[in-house]
Amino acid sequence: MKILLTGAAGFIGRHIATALTDAGHHVTPLDIRTGTDVRDPTALDRLLPGTDAVCHQAAKVGLGVSLADLPDYTSTNAHGTAVLLAAMARHHTPRLVLASSMVVYGEGAYTCPDHGPVRPRPRDPDDLARGAFDPRCPHGDHHLNPATINEDAPTDPRNAYATTKLTQEHLAATWARETGGTAIALRYHNVYGPHMPADTPYAGVAALFRSALHAGRPPRVFEDGAQRRDFIHVRDVAAANLAALTRGGHPATLTAYNIATGHPHTVGEMATALATAHGGPHPITTGEYRLGDVRHIVAAPDRARTHLGFTATIPFTDGITEFATAPLA
């Protein structure tokens, strides 16, 4: 296949490029770092003819620093995707694999001892300030138990990045309906691995911890460290993209897949494992919080296993041990 890969020079993109090339596909790279912007229709008209599929990884990532980031998130993620989809329609490109994210869900799935499955209320800033980090039942003050979330759960983005990732999904669904194309959204959970960006507030928590360790500082764990996440190695994410480009999905619609291991860990556990493998210093738990963060989100990866034939293969301990000394970008 001839595949246009946007964000090809980025953290995840470079691993996808390797996986696709190793599998015998022809990769056409596009990345703003090398002078080609996904928002440039002229560049897309030059690169798209004859392309069998687009693997769209280009995006502004991370939680963001302030509301001043809103225009950039919207321009890069929403407008950039719209320009790309319009060009794909012009050139009759039939298949899209989109890098989406778990953040589109907002909070994960929960059950209440008295009310069963519930969607929790938004976390109260007063609760967070006094260290009460777990969300409450919408029908009272009951503590909730986190459960696995599947792709049919309601979406509830809580920050600029999440909102624009969901916008990308909606735009892709519109493109698929209008063109009869196949759109697949891969909802990445917490991706980590070699060549993560260093020392930037827009990086994921794994990169922030690894950057601190590299500088000789202890990783700073927010809240109480008990937030549950599914940490997945970037080479597994690349394998998921390869699978999605060659199977799965349905014409004229968008299908979403959780890309995760199915084996959650707390943020505190990850920080401790990383610090131990690196040789210290030991993480510190600060009690700090960010309003845009969610408490727990744990994935059900069954749909990707059934429809794409994808299962993550890199164990948490092995992946974290490698990452502890791997190069950062």
Side-chain angles (χ1 to χ4, degrees):
M1 293 175 64
K2 181 180 178 183
I3 299 165
L4 176 65
L5 174 61
T6 76
F11 162 49
I12 296 174
R14 67 171 64 188
H15 289 275
I16 294 173
T18 298
L20 295 179
T21 301
D22 288 349
H25 299 290
H26 175 78
V27 176
T28 301
L30 183 156
D31 198 289
I32 195 169
R33 299 169 184 83
T34 55
T36 311
D37 193 333
V38 73
R39 292 166 291 190
D40 181 354
T42 302
L44 294 171
D45 287 340
R46 184 178 72 252
L47 297 173
L48 274 172
T51 295
D52 299 300
V54 171
C55 185
H56 184 30
Q57 306 293 314
K60 182 179 177 67
V61 301
L63 182 62
V65 176
S66 71
L67 290 177
D69 288 321
L70 281 173
D72 198 23
Y73 275 109
T74 303
S75 176
T76 303
N77 298 355
H79 179 64
T81 299
V83 173
L84 172 64
L85 293 171
M88 290 176 66
R90 286 196 300 275
H91 295 282
H92 309 289
T93 309
R95 192 171 186 85
L96 171 73
V97 173
L98 168 69
S100 188
S101 172
M102 64 167 190
V103 296
V104 301
Y105 297 120
E107 282 288 348
Y110 292 85
T111 59
C112 173
D114 291 341
H115 302 101
V118 296
R119 294 287 290 175
R121 299 192 305 233
R123 294 199 290 173
D124 189 303
D126 291 337
D127 287 345
L128 296 173
R130 63 184 178 83
F133 299 117
D134 285 301
R136 300 182 186 182
C137 177
H139 309 297
D141 285 337
H142 302 287
H143 289 291
L144 302 177
N145 299 314
T148 55
I149 195 163
N150 64 35
E151 295 87 349
D152 296 325
T155 53
D156 183 21
R158 301 289 179 91
N159 55 60
Y161 173 60
T163 299
T164 56
K165 294 310 285 185
L166 185 57
T167 300
Q168 287 183 314
E169 290 195 16
H170 289 318
L171 290 169
T174 299
W175 167 84
R177 285 192 298 269
E178 293 288 333
T179 66
T182 298
I184 292 175
L186 302 182
R187 291 175 177 169
Y188 302 159
H189 285 249
N190 283 67
V191 187
Y192 71 95
H195 304 294
M196 286 194 86
D199 293 323
T200 166
Y202 299 96
V205 65
L208 297 176
F209 292 167
R210 175 69 176 77
S211 296
L213 289 165
H214 180 74
R217 302 189 308 268
R220 296 175 60 84
V221 179
F222 279 18
E223 300 186 15
D224 58 0
Q227 312 93 298
R228 299 180 78 208
R229 298 289 190 271
D230 193 316
F231 296 97
I232 181 166
H233 195 280
V234 66
R235 287 197 297 274
D236 278 330
V237 171
N241 277 271
L242 176 60
L245 285 160
T246 54
R247 59 186 293 185
H250 303 281
T253 189
L254 178 138
T255 308
Y257 297 93
N258 282 329
I259 302 303
T261 69
H263 303 288
H265 295 269
T266 69
V267 172
E269 288 171 345
M270 192 275 283
T272 298
L274 187 61
T276 300
H278 188 272
H282 193 76
I284 58 174
T285 302
T286 69
E288 297 171 88
Y289 61 89
R290 299 184 296 182
L291 286 177
D293 277 337
V294 299
R295 180 60 172 172
H296 303 295
I297 183 160
V298 177
D302 308 281
R303 182 183 290 180
R305 181 175 61 249
T306 301
H307 293 180
L308 303 181
F310 167 74
T311 300
T313 61
I314 300 175
F316 176 79
T317 300
D318 293 351
I320 291 295
T321 298
E322 176 201 22
F323 180 53
T325 56
L328 299 174

